[in-house]
C-alpha cells in the first residue's frame, strides 16, 4: 500500500516510525511519503493561509498550494483522496476495512480554521472525522486512520489472527486479557484460563465479551 500525507507539519508524522507501523515501514510493507504543502506555495513568502472571506476568527488554508501539491503527488488520481475533517464520516472499523483494500491513500491534513472549500470540491473524494471533537490539525487524525488501516495490511501484524478476535472486528468488545505472573498483588488469573480446556476458555471469553459489551456499549448489540 502507498500512503501520501499532505501537511504543513510533516515532522508530526514521524510518530508513525515507532512500534508496529515503524517496523512495517522498515520491512517495506507499505510506503509512506509526507509532503510539505508550503513547498508548493507560489507566494514569495510561502504563505499558505489567509483570513476568511466574510470575516470571522482564524485563518483558512489557501487552495493553490494544496491543489498544486495534490496534482504533483497524485497526477493520475490513482489515490483515494481523504480530507481529515470534523465534518466527515465518523471513522469506524467498517471504514477501516474498506480503506485497507485500497492500494493508494492520500490524506490532506487541515490546520487553523480549515481549508478553502473549492479545493475540497475539486480534489477530494471523501472526508473522515475521528470523532465529535475538534483537534488543532488533521495530522493526528490522519495517523489514527493510517495506524488502524495498516493493521489489516498483510504481514503488518505479527500474528495474523489478531484482527479477528479484537473489539469491533466482531460486534463485541474484547474479553479481559491476562499474562504472567499468575498471582499479582494478591489477585489471581481466572482458573479457567489455566485449565487447558479450550472449549471452556472459549465459552468463558464469549460470555465475558457479551457481559462487557452489554454494560459498556449496549448499542453495539442493538445494531445486530
Ligand atoms: N473550524 C473547523 C475546525 C478546524 S480544526 C470546524 O469547526 O469544523 C483544524 C483541522 O484539524 C481541520 O481542518 C481538520 O483537518 C482537523 N481536525 C480537527 N478535528 C478533527 C476531527 N475530529 N477529525 C478529523 N480531523 C479533524
Amino acid at each position: 500500500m502507498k500512503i501520501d500525507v499532505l501537511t504543513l507539519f510533516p515532522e508530526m508524522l514521524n510518530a508513525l516510525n515507532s512500534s508496529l507501523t515503524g517496523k512495517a515501514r522498515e520491512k517495506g510493507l507499505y510506503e509512506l511519503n509526507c509532503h510539505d504543502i508550503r513547498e508548493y506555495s507560489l507566494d514569495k513568502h510561502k504563505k499558505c493561509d489567509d483570513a476568511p472571506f466574510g470575516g470571522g476568527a482564524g485563518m483558512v488554508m489557501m487552495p493553490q498550494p494544496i491543489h498544486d501539491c495534490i496534482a504533483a503527488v497524485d497526477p493520475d488520481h490513482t489515490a483515494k483522496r481523504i480530507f481529515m475533517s470534523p465534518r466527515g464520516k465518523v471513522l469506524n472499523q467498517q471504514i477501516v476495512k474498506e480503506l485497507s483494500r485500497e492500494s493508494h491513500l492520500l490524506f490532506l491534513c487541515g490546520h487553523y480554521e480549515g481549508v478553502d472549500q473549492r479545493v475540497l470540491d475539486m480534489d477530494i473524494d471523501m472526508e473522515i472525522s475521528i470523532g465529535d471533537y475538534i483537534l488543532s490539525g488533521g495530522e493526528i487524525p490522519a495517523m489514527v486512520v493510517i495506524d488502524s488501516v495498516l493493521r489489516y495490511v498483510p504481514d503488518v501484524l505479527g500474528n495474523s489472527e489478531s484482527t479477528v478476535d479484537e473489539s469491533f472486528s466482531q460486534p463485541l468488545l474484547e474479553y479481559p486479557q491476562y499474562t504472567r505472573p499468575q498471582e499479582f498483588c494478591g489477585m489471581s488469573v481466572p482458573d479457567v484460563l489455566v485449565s487447558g480446556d479450550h472449549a471452556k476458555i472459549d465459552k468463558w471469553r464469549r460470555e465475558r465479551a457479551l457481559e462487557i459489551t452489554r454494560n459498556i456499549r449496549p448499542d453495539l448489540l442493538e445494531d445486530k
Side-chain angles (χ1 to χ4, degrees), residues 19 94 122 136-137 145:
S19 182
Q94 186 53 38
M122 206 168 21
S136 53
V145 179

Side-chain angles (χ1 to χ4, degrees), residues 8 27 78 84 94 98 111 158 173 188 201 223:
L8 290 173
K27 284 192 205 154
T78 55
M84 299 313 303
Q94 186 53 38
E98 282 164 22
H111 236 92
L173 301 180
S188 11
I201 293 173
D223 286 352

Side-chain angles (χ1 to χ4, degrees), residues 83-86 110 112-114 128-131 133-138 141:
F83 174 51
M84 299 313 303
S85 162
Y112 317 118
E113 281 312 309
I128 296 181
S129 163
I130 62 160
Y133 41 82
I134 309 287
L135 291 113
S136 53

Side-chain angles (χ1 to χ4, degrees), residues 1-28:
M1 176 180 281
K2 186 174 171 194
I3 300 173
D4 288 296
V5 180
L6 280 55
T7 166
L8 290 173
F9 302 94
E11 68 283 358
M12 286 184 76
L13 278 294
N14 286 342
L16 287 172
N17 287 332
S18 303
S19 182
L20 198 97
T21 48
K23 279 207 196 92
R25 193 177 179 188
E26 274 170 27
K27 284 192 205 154

